[in-house]
Amino acid sequence: MDQLIGDHEKARQGFTKVVKGVDASRWHAPSPCTEWDARAVVEHVIGSHEMLLLKPLEVRADRPREDPVARWSATDAALTQALSSDEILDQEIDGPMGATTARSLLPALTSDVLVHCWDLARAAGIDVELDEGLATAALVMAEQHADSFKTSAMFGDPVAVPDDAPVTDRLLGFFGRDPAWRPPG
């Protein structure tokens, strides 16, 4: 299995663990993404994958309408199907941003899953440790594309964290999260 696919699968496994751990009473809890509650974080991760990868690859996720755990599980299964072959990485796909490949999309999608895993865990009151190797790769990728991120309206302003902070904290800070964030109350 190609490392890009393996890394994305590892990030999804961590996200799945958190999704399955959310208490039903916490789906409407605020998240570090100020516009989103816990459920909206899951819907964002589903939507990003649907729009950028699944739909262009013509892989359908049979999602129920209401249950966020089942919705993510169906998406995860569809992603496993879509990424079942290394050959898919270089197949040209026509997505909302034009022609691209899964190879070019997966690093950003993996970073998205990783950061939103932390967002969801914080909203749900679940302790989570992000994979350090994935966080390092995500931070390197983010720093290489820092100018693009700064001009994008999709990310908050970076939060200052010490240069010697753990890589996960530096990643979160890069993407506008305060590593010490806790839900109000």
Side-chain angles (χ1 to χ4, degrees), residues 81-142:
Q81 176 189 344
L83 299 171
S84 64
S85 166
D86 289 351
E87 287 77 39
I88 197 66
L89 289 173
D90 296 311
Q91 175 185 323
E92 188 171 296
I93 53 178
D94 190 25
M97 296 180 284
T100 189
T101 63
R103 183 177 301 283
S104 66
L105 292 172
L106 275 179
L109 286 169
T110 300
S111 298
D112 193 58
V113 172
L114 193 65
V115 171
H116 289 309
C117 179
W118 182 84
D119 292 334
L120 180 61
R122 282 293 197 251
I126 297 171
D127 288 330
V128 67
E129 286 192 34
L130 301 180
D131 181 275
E132 194 171 306
L134 293 179
T136 299
L139 183 58
V140 167
M141 184 270 309

Side-chain angles (χ1 to χ4, degrees), residues 39 43 63-68 71:
R39 184 176 181 139
E43 290 300 324
R63 295 181 201 96
R65 293 183 74 91
E66 295 301 321
D67 180 2
R71 288 180 57 71

Side-chain angles (χ1 to χ4, degrees), residues 71-82:
R71 288 180 57 71
W72 170 250
S73 294
T75 302
D76 187 47
L79 288 164
T80 298
Q81 176 189 344

